[in-house]
Structure formats: C-alpha cells, structure tokens
Amino acid sequence: MRDLAGGFRYLLAGQRWVFRHGRWLGFGLLPGLVSLVLYAGALIGLGYGADDLTAWATPFADDWSTPWTGLLRGFLTALVFGLGLFLAVITFTAVTLLIGQPFYESLSEQVDRSEGGEVPQSGLPLWRELWISARDSVKVLGRVLLYGILLFALGFVPVVGQTVVPALGFCVSGYFLTQELTAVALQRRKVDLHERLALLRSRRMLVLGFGVPLVLAFLVPLVAVFLMPGAVAGATLMARDLMAVDEAPSAGAAPGGPAAPQDPSAPAGFGPPPPAYS
C-alpha cells in the first residue's frame, strides 16, 4: 500500500510541476491534441463498424431465436469496443510520445534541471532517438497485444470475465503506460528497454500506483491531453528516484556498509524522505 500511494504522489507531483511552469504545460499539450484527433476518428469508426464486424464473425447465429442472437452479438460488440479502447489507452501514450519526442524530451530535461543534480542527455541525433523510441514502443505494444488477446479471451468466462478481467486490464494498461512515460527520462540516461522493464518490475506496486489512476483518468474525453505533460513530468521524477536508489549501493557506499537509499515512494516536494525500508 505504501508503494501504491507513493506512485500516486509522483503523478500528483508531476501535475503540480507543470502548473507551476505554465509555459511547459502549453508546450506539452500540442502532441496530445494531434493524437486526440487521430484516435477520436479511429474510435468513432470502430463504434460504427463494431456491429457489422460481430455480425460477420458470427454467421452461425443468424438462425438463432430471439433474443439470443442479439444478446450474443451485443456482448461481442461490447468486447470488441472494450478491446479497442484498451489498445487506444495503451497506444495513445506511445503514439503521442513518438509525435512529441522533441517536446517531451525538452520537458523532461527541464524537470531534471529544476530538481538539481545531473541533467542527462542522450547525445543522439533526433532521427536516432525517434528510431529507438519507435522500436521500443513496438516491442512493448507486442507484449500489450498478447495480454490484450488473453484478457479478451478470458472475458468470455462467466463472472470472472465481467469482474476480475476488467480489473486486470486496468493494471496491465497502467503498468505499460508507466513504462512508456518513464522511457522519456530513462532513454536519456542510456537505459535500454530490457533494463527499464527490469527496473519497473522491481517496484510493481509503485508503477501501478502511478499508472492505474492515469489510465482511469484517460478514459474521460480530453483528460488524456491535459494530463500528458504532467504525466511526463511525474514519470521523470519517478525515474530520477528509481535510478538513484538503483545506483546508491554502489555509488554511495560508506566504509561501514552500503548507504541507505532514498525511498522512491516520496517524490521531491513532499518533505524529507522516510527511513529506507527493507
């Protein structure tokens, strides 16, 4: 529970940061607005075409008696649209980050600069950064698609498919959404995809505390656009502390033993960190 609350505090800290730096809020809104138009069109098209898709996929139900045909196809239509919405929530961040790579790189660097300490820079040309970001996003989305197909299939299981599966879907969405957001700061620190995933797996509850509320907020129209700049800022704050904790035992060891790392569930601006926990 402590890590869950800590992840949510990072999300709030990121939103506070962009509202204290209003110029960066406006700067970070532009990529989200472009993505919103693209995704709104895709979801509207899916909404209109889902009925036809399920009717085409279930020709065996044409001869069923009323109301079974309607119930089956209505259920499948809802599942198809739910899967589309699930994929939209996940891919929205990846596409927006790809479109807005220069914007969010600058925003993340400014967060690092405002918090003090080293401001890492990749030193790579823009085209190379875009290529790495796109390549890693495709790999992550491949994992998301596998989870999405599995959850879609489990949605047919009575009771479990209507209760446990949606909850798991939000957790999966939140986890990979956080991975995409922290990639902006971690890529500048030359942390590759495998290391990023390992780092986030080590603090799953912290990641879910950040990502799941964000996924729920993203379900509200337009909210995703306005929260994206703060989400990038909050993910940068989280990445800073996760990297500091990861490096602390080797970089800050005292003669008497390893130094106690700062608790990454306490982002900057929340007072002195509590004692390290085991």
Coordinates of all heavy atoms in Angstrom, one line a residue, residues 23-62:
R23 N 4.3 27.6 -18.9 CA 4.8 27.6 -20.3 C 5.0 26.2 -20.8 O 4.7 25.9 -22.0 CB 6.1 28.4 -20.4 CG 6.7 28.5 -21.8 CD 7.9 29.4 -21.9 NE 9.0 28.9 -21.2 CZ 10.0 28.1 -21.8 NH1 9.8 27.8 -23.0 NH2 11.0 27.7 -21.1
W24 N 5.5 25.3 -19.9 CA 5.8 24.0 -20.3 C 4.5 23.2 -20.4 O 4.4 22.2 -21.2 CB 6.7 23.3 -19.3 CG 8.1 23.9 -19.4 CD1 8.7 24.9 -18.7 CD2 9.1 23.5 -20.4 NE1 9.9 25.1 -19.2 CE2 10.2 24.3 -20.2 CE3 9.1 22.6 -21.5 CZ2 11.3 24.2 -21.0 CZ3 10.2 22.5 -22.2 CH2 11.3 23.3 -22.0
L25 N 3.4 23.6 -19.7 CA 2.1 22.9 -19.8 C 1.6 23.1 -21.2 O 1.2 22.2 -21.9 CB 1.2 23.5 -18.8 CG -0.3 23.0 -18.9 CD1 -0.4 21.5 -18.8 CD2 -1.2 23.7 -17.9
G26 N 1.6 24.4 -21.7 CA 1.1 24.7 -23.1 C 2.0 24.0 -24.1 O 1.5 23.5 -25.1
F27 N 3.3 24.0 -23.9 CA 4.3 23.3 -24.8 C 4.0 21.9 -24.9 O 4.0 21.3 -26.0 CB 5.7 23.6 -24.2 CG 6.8 23.1 -25.1 CD1 7.1 23.8 -26.3 CD2 7.5 22.0 -24.8 CE1 8.2 23.4 -27.1 CE2 8.6 21.6 -25.6 CZ 8.9 22.3 -26.8
G28 N 3.6 21.2 -23.8 CA 3.4 19.8 -23.8 C 2.0 19.3 -24.3 O 1.8 18.1 -24.5
L29 N 1.1 20.3 -24.5 CA -0.2 19.9 -24.9 C -0.3 19.7 -26.4 O -1.2 18.9 -26.9 CB -1.2 21.1 -24.6 CG -1.6 21.3 -23.1 CD1 -2.5 22.5 -22.9 CD2 -2.3 20.0 -22.6
L30 N 0.6 20.2 -27.2 CA 0.5 20.1 -28.7 C 0.5 18.7 -29.2 O -0.4 18.3 -30.0 CB 1.6 21.0 -29.3 CG 1.5 22.5 -29.0 CD1 2.8 23.2 -29.6 CD2 0.3 23.1 -29.5
P31 N 1.4 17.8 -28.8 CA 1.4 16.5 -29.3 C 0.1 15.7 -29.0 O -0.4 14.9 -29.8 CB 2.6 15.8 -28.7 CG 3.5 16.9 -28.3 CD 2.6 18.0 -27.9
G32 N -0.4 15.9 -27.8 CA -1.6 15.3 -27.3 C -2.8 15.7 -28.1 O -3.7 14.8 -28.4
L33 N -2.9 16.9 -28.5 CA -4.0 17.4 -29.3 C -4.0 16.7 -30.7 O -5.1 16.3 -31.2 CB -4.0 18.9 -29.5 CG -4.3 19.7 -28.2 CD1 -4.0 21.2 -28.4 CD2 -5.7 19.5 -27.8
V34 N -2.8 16.6 -31.3 CA -2.7 15.9 -32.6 C -3.2 14.4 -32.5 O -4.0 13.9 -33.3 CB -1.3 16.0 -33.1 CG1 -1.2 15.1 -34.4 CG2 -0.9 17.4 -33.4
S35 N -2.7 13.7 -31.4 CA -3.0 12.3 -31.2 C -4.5 12.2 -30.9 O -5.2 11.2 -31.4 CB -2.2 11.7 -30.1 OG -0.9 11.7 -30.4
L36 N -5.1 13.1 -30.2 CA -6.5 13.0 -29.8 C -7.4 13.0 -31.1 O -8.3 12.2 -31.2 CB -6.9 14.2 -28.9 CG -8.4 14.3 -28.5 CD1 -8.7 13.1 -27.6 CD2 -8.7 15.6 -27.8
V37 N -7.1 13.9 -32.0 CA -7.9 13.9 -33.3 C -7.8 12.6 -34.0 O -8.8 12.1 -34.5 CB -7.4 15.1 -34.2 CG1 -8.0 15.0 -35.5 CG2 -7.6 16.4 -33.5
L38 N -6.6 12.0 -34.1 CA -6.4 10.7 -34.8 C -7.2 9.6 -34.1 O -7.9 8.8 -34.7 CB -4.9 10.4 -34.8 CG -4.0 11.3 -35.6 CD1 -2.5 10.9 -35.5 CD2 -4.4 11.3 -37.1
Y39 N -7.1 9.5 -32.7 CA -7.7 8.5 -32.0 C -9.2 8.6 -31.9 O -10.0 7.6 -31.9 CB -7.1 8.3 -30.6 CG -5.9 7.5 -30.6 CD1 -4.6 8.1 -30.9 CD2 -5.9 6.2 -30.3 CE1 -3.5 7.3 -30.9 CE2 -4.8 5.4 -30.3 CZ -3.6 5.9 -30.6 OH -2.4 5.2 -30.6
A40 N -9.7 9.9 -31.9 CA -11.1 10.1 -31.8 C -11.8 9.6 -33.1 O -12.8 8.9 -33.1 CB -11.4 11.6 -31.7
G41 N -11.1 9.8 -34.3 CA -11.6 9.3 -35.5 C -11.6 7.8 -35.6 O -12.6 7.2 -36.1
A42 N -10.5 7.2 -35.1 CA -10.5 5.7 -35.1 C -11.5 5.1 -34.2 O -12.2 4.1 -34.6 CB -9.1 5.3 -34.6
L43 N -11.8 5.6 -33.0 CA -12.8 5.1 -32.1 C -14.2 5.3 -32.6 O -15.0 4.4 -32.5 CB -12.6 5.7 -30.7 CG -11.4 5.2 -29.9 CD1 -11.2 5.9 -28.6 CD2 -11.5 3.7 -29.7
I44 N -14.4 6.4 -33.2 CA -15.7 6.7 -33.8 C -16.0 5.7 -35.0 O -17.1 5.1 -35.1 CB -15.9 8.1 -34.4 CG1 -15.9 9.1 -33.2 CG2 -17.1 8.3 -35.2 CD1 -15.8 10.6 -33.6
G45 N -15.0 5.4 -35.8 CA -15.1 4.4 -36.8 C -15.4 3.0 -36.3 O -16.2 2.3 -36.8
L46 N -14.7 2.7 -35.2 CA -14.9 1.4 -34.6 C -16.3 1.3 -34.0 O -16.9 0.2 -34.1 CB -13.8 1.2 -33.4 CG -13.9 -0.2 -32.7 CD1 -13.7 -1.3 -33.6 CD2 -12.9 -0.2 -31.5
G47 N -16.7 2.4 -33.4 CA -18.1 2.4 -32.8 C -19.2 2.1 -33.9 O -20.1 1.3 -33.6
Y48 N -19.0 2.7 -35.0 CA -19.9 2.5 -36.1 C -19.8 1.1 -36.8 O -20.8 0.5 -37.2 CB -19.8 3.6 -37.2 CG -20.5 4.9 -36.8 CD1 -19.8 6.0 -36.5 CD2 -21.9 4.9 -36.9 CE1 -20.4 7.2 -36.1 CE2 -22.5 6.1 -36.6 CZ -21.8 7.2 -36.2 OH -22.5 8.4 -35.9
G49 N -18.6 0.6 -36.8 CA -18.4 -0.7 -37.5 C -18.4 -1.9 -36.7 O -18.3 -3.0 -37.2
A50 N -18.4 -1.8 -35.3 CA -18.3 -3.0 -34.5 C -19.5 -3.9 -34.7 O -19.3 -5.2 -34.6 CB -18.2 -2.6 -33.0
D51 N -20.7 -3.4 -34.9 CA -21.9 -4.3 -35.1 C -21.7 -5.1 -36.3 O -22.0 -6.3 -36.3 CB -23.1 -3.4 -35.2 CG -23.6 -2.8 -33.9 OD1 -23.2 -3.4 -32.8 OD2 -24.3 -1.8 -33.9
D52 N -21.3 -4.5 -37.4 CA -21.1 -5.2 -38.7 C -20.0 -6.3 -38.5 O -20.1 -7.4 -39.1 CB -20.7 -4.2 -39.8 CG -21.9 -3.3 -40.1 OD1 -23.0 -3.7 -39.9 OD2 -21.6 -2.2 -40.7
L53 N -18.9 -5.9 -37.8 CA -17.8 -6.9 -37.6 C -18.3 -8.1 -36.8 O -18.0 -9.2 -37.2 CB -16.7 -6.2 -36.8 CG -15.5 -7.0 -36.5 CD1 -14.8 -7.5 -37.8 CD2 -14.5 -6.3 -35.6
T54 N -19.0 -7.9 -35.7 CA -19.5 -9.1 -35.0 C -20.5 -9.9 -35.8 O -20.6 -11.1 -35.6 CB -20.1 -8.6 -33.6 OG1 -21.1 -7.6 -33.9 CG2 -19.0 -8.0 -32.7
A55 N -21.4 -9.2 -36.6 CA -22.3 -10.0 -37.4 C -21.6 -10.8 -38.4 O -22.0 -12.0 -38.7 CB -23.3 -9.0 -38.1
W56 N -20.5 -10.3 -39.0 CA -19.7 -11.0 -40.0 C -19.0 -12.2 -39.3 O -18.9 -13.3 -40.0 CB -18.7 -10.1 -40.6 CG -17.7 -10.7 -41.5 CD1 -17.9 -11.2 -42.8 CD2 -16.4 -11.2 -41.1 NE1 -16.7 -11.8 -43.2 CE2 -15.8 -11.8 -42.2 CE3 -15.7 -11.0 -39.9 CZ2 -14.5 -12.3 -42.2 CZ3 -14.4 -11.5 -39.9 CH2 -13.8 -12.2 -41.0
A57 N -18.6 -12.0 -38.1 CA -17.8 -13.1 -37.4 C -18.7 -14.2 -36.8 O -18.2 -15.2 -36.4 CB -17.0 -12.4 -36.3
T58 N -20.0 -13.9 -36.7 CA -20.9 -14.9 -36.1 C -22.1 -15.3 -37.1 O -23.2 -15.2 -36.7 CB -21.5 -14.4 -34.8 OG1 -22.2 -13.1 -35.1 CG2 -20.4 -14.2 -33.8
P59 N -21.8 -15.8 -38.3 CA -22.8 -16.2 -39.2 C -23.7 -17.4 -38.7 O -24.9 -17.5 -39.0 CB -22.1 -16.6 -40.5 CG -20.7 -17.0 -40.0 CD -20.4 -16.1 -38.9
F60 N -23.1 -18.2 -37.8 CA -23.8 -19.3 -37.2 C -25.0 -18.9 -36.3 O -25.9 -19.7 -36.1 CB -22.9 -20.2 -36.4 CG -22.2 -19.4 -35.3 CD1 -22.8 -19.2 -34.0 CD2 -20.9 -18.9 -35.5 CE1 -22.1 -18.5 -33.0 CE2 -20.2 -18.1 -34.5 CZ -20.9 -18.0 -33.3
A61 N -25.0 -17.6 -35.9 CA -26.1 -17.1 -35.0 C -27.2 -16.5 -35.8 O -28.2 -16.1 -35.2 CB -25.5 -16.1 -34.0
D62 N -27.2 -16.5 -37.1 CA -28.2 -15.9 -37.9 C -29.6 -16.6 -37.7 O -30.6 -16.0 -37.8 CB -27.9 -16.0 -39.4 CG -26.8 -15.0 -39.8 OD1 -26.5 -14.1 -39.0 OD2 -26.1 -15.2 -40.8

